[in-house]
Amino acid sequence: MMAKNLVARVSRRFIATGLAIGLTAGSMFISNSNAGASDIGARAIASGIYAAPVTAVPALAVAAAPAQMKPFDQQLISLVNAKRKAAGLVELKEAKGLTKLSVWWSTQLVTGKTGYELQHNPNATSMLSDYGASNWTSWAENVARWKPGSISAQAIFDAYWASPGHKANILGAKSRYIGMGSVSTGSGWTFNTMTFTDKVEAGQVVAAAAPKPKAKGKVDTAAVTKGKVRVAGWAFSPNKSSKSNAVKITVTGPKGTSTYKRSTTLTRADVNKAYGITGKHGYATTLPLQVGTNKVCVTSIAFSGATDTALGCWTRKRAS
């Protein structure tokens, strides 16, 4: 999709720092910058993208930027770490301050502080100390803009990945921490800023979200009788263990797939005793099979806040 629409539109003012790539007829541009502690000053002066510097607003006063696309940003961080893991590199940890700084800069861009032109934050390295990274010795930044806002995180990441400069920042061997900030407003543009550093101060790492509990269950039988399959067992969702949940059963045969949903309406005292729960968690149903070989799969469906669990698949045959 998006990758097929990449066109080579390199703007001269980006040549000093790396690359700019136009996406879908110029509707999206990306740019990267990086520096170590020893060369940031020279790099900032040499680069044309710093020609219109933005006066930094005190960090703490603007850190809570509106309209951050948090789920989108989490997807981007996951995509970055997937590539790093595949390359044998340390996965990056999200840092609170780096994300706030990234969101702040994207907000400056999306609210027209640079005339909606894509630029790097000219004061990024001097602002790092106000955003929990005063001890940094290696820093890098990727920025992008696009419209419409419905473009997927995967497509944006693919555009970054297709550019050697941005890819190099994503795979930076010294980087250990990342901040991610995507912001979209009424301007029609969406801007993203990625910030990478090798160090952050204590307490800056964002705690990993607790994994969602998984629905439990078991298929006790999936027996064939007179051209039908009887499926029975138990299931429950740990976050609402006193309530009956449901199982999804799919039967795939030569003519296609049929899907069935059955609630746990039967009492299973053994399950309640084993897990210390109450309620009805047993199920039993008889479903038609197609002539030939069928694949019967059962899934325990979780309530919101937990995740579904596949209980297994079985091959069952109907002769006629």
Side-chain angles (χ1 to χ4, degrees):
M1 289 177 49
M2 302 260 324
K4 294 180 180 178
N5 293 323
L6 283 173
V7 292
R9 289 183 43 145
V10 179
S11 173
R12 290 183 181 277
R13 71 194 194 102
F14 288 95
I15 292 175
T17 53
L19 305 155
I21 295 179
L23 187 63
T24 58
S27 64
M28 183 264 195
F29 293 90
I30 54 180
S31 186
N32 72 287
S33 184
N34 60 76
S38 62
D39 66 350
I40 181 61
R43 197 175 288 266
I45 293 171
S47 172
I49 62 169
Y50 294 94
V54 178
T55 302
V57 179
L60 296 179
V62 297
Q68 182 196 0
M69 299 159 61
K70 291 184 179 180
F72 186 92
D73 286 345
Q74 291 305 309
Q75 290 179 56
L76 284 175
I77 291 174
S78 295
L79 291 166
V80 166
N81 278 329
K83 289 295 188 181
R84 289 181 64 88
K85 183 176 181 180
L89 296 168
V90 174
E91 294 184 37
L92 303 181
K93 296 179 180 179
E94 184 183 6
K96 302 172 188 177
L98 298 184
T99 286
K100 288 181 179 179
L101 178 58
S102 298
V103 170
W104 178 79
W105 181 242
S106 290
T107 300
Q108 300 302 295
L109 295 168
V110 86
T111 53
K113 298 301 190 295
T114 66
Y116 304 108
E117 291 297 318
L118 186 64
Q119 295 186 20
H120 286 289
N121 180 356
N123 304 304
T125 54
S126 62
M127 295 176 73
L128 286 173
S129 60
D130 292 326
Y131 285 88
S134 60
N135 51 347
W136 73 277
T137 60
S138 176
W139 162 87
E141 180 183 81
N142 286 345
V143 295
R145 71 170 185 175
W146 65 92
K147 64 169 66 171
S150 59
I151 295 175
S152 70
Q154 182 68 62
I156 298 305
F157 181 81
D158 288 345
Y160 274 132
W161 190 251
S163 164
H166 303 88
K167 181 178 180 179
N169 283 348
I170 290 168
L171 297 180
K174 293 182 179 179
S175 295
R176 295 293 182 271
Y177 303 95
I178 189 171
M180 190 71 67
S182 299
V183 178
S184 184
T185 66
S187 68
W189 287 106
T190 302
F191 285 83
N192 168 261
T193 303
M194 297 183 183
T195 305
F196 307 85
T197 64
D198 60 336
K199 299 176 184 178
V200 293
E201 299 162 17
Q204 282 294 312
V205 175
V206 175
K212 292 182 179 180
K214 294 183 177 180
K216 297 183 180 298
K218 183 181 179 182
V219 177
D220 294 326
T221 183
V224 177
T225 304
K226 296 180 179 181
K228 296 182 179 181
V229 61
R230 183 177 184 275
V231 183
W234 57 269
F236 70 90
S237 186
N239 57 333
K240 293 185 179 180
S241 60
S242 64
K243 294 186 177 182
S244 295
N245 68 326
V247 293
K248 180 180 73 174
I249 305 170
T250 60
V251 180
T252 303
K255 294 183 180 181
T257 299
S258 297
T259 302
Y260 307 89
K261 188 176 180 179
R262 297 291 185 264
S263 297
T264 57
T265 58
L266 305 178
T267 299
R268 288 291 300 258
D270 58 330
V271 174
N272 288 355
K273 181 178 180 180
Y275 288 94
I277 58 178
T278 60
K280 296 182 177 181
H281 303 296
Y283 63 89
T285 187
T286 300
L287 303 170
L289 293 173
Q290 299 174 35
V291 175
T293 301
N294 295 257
K295 185 177 182 181
V296 180
C297 298
V298 184
T299 299
S300 179
I301 301 175
F303 290 110
S304 177
T307 58
D308 298 349
T309 298
L311 303 182
C313 294
W314 296 264
T315 299
R316 297 293 182 261
K317 294 182 179 181
R318 176 182 172 183
S320 62

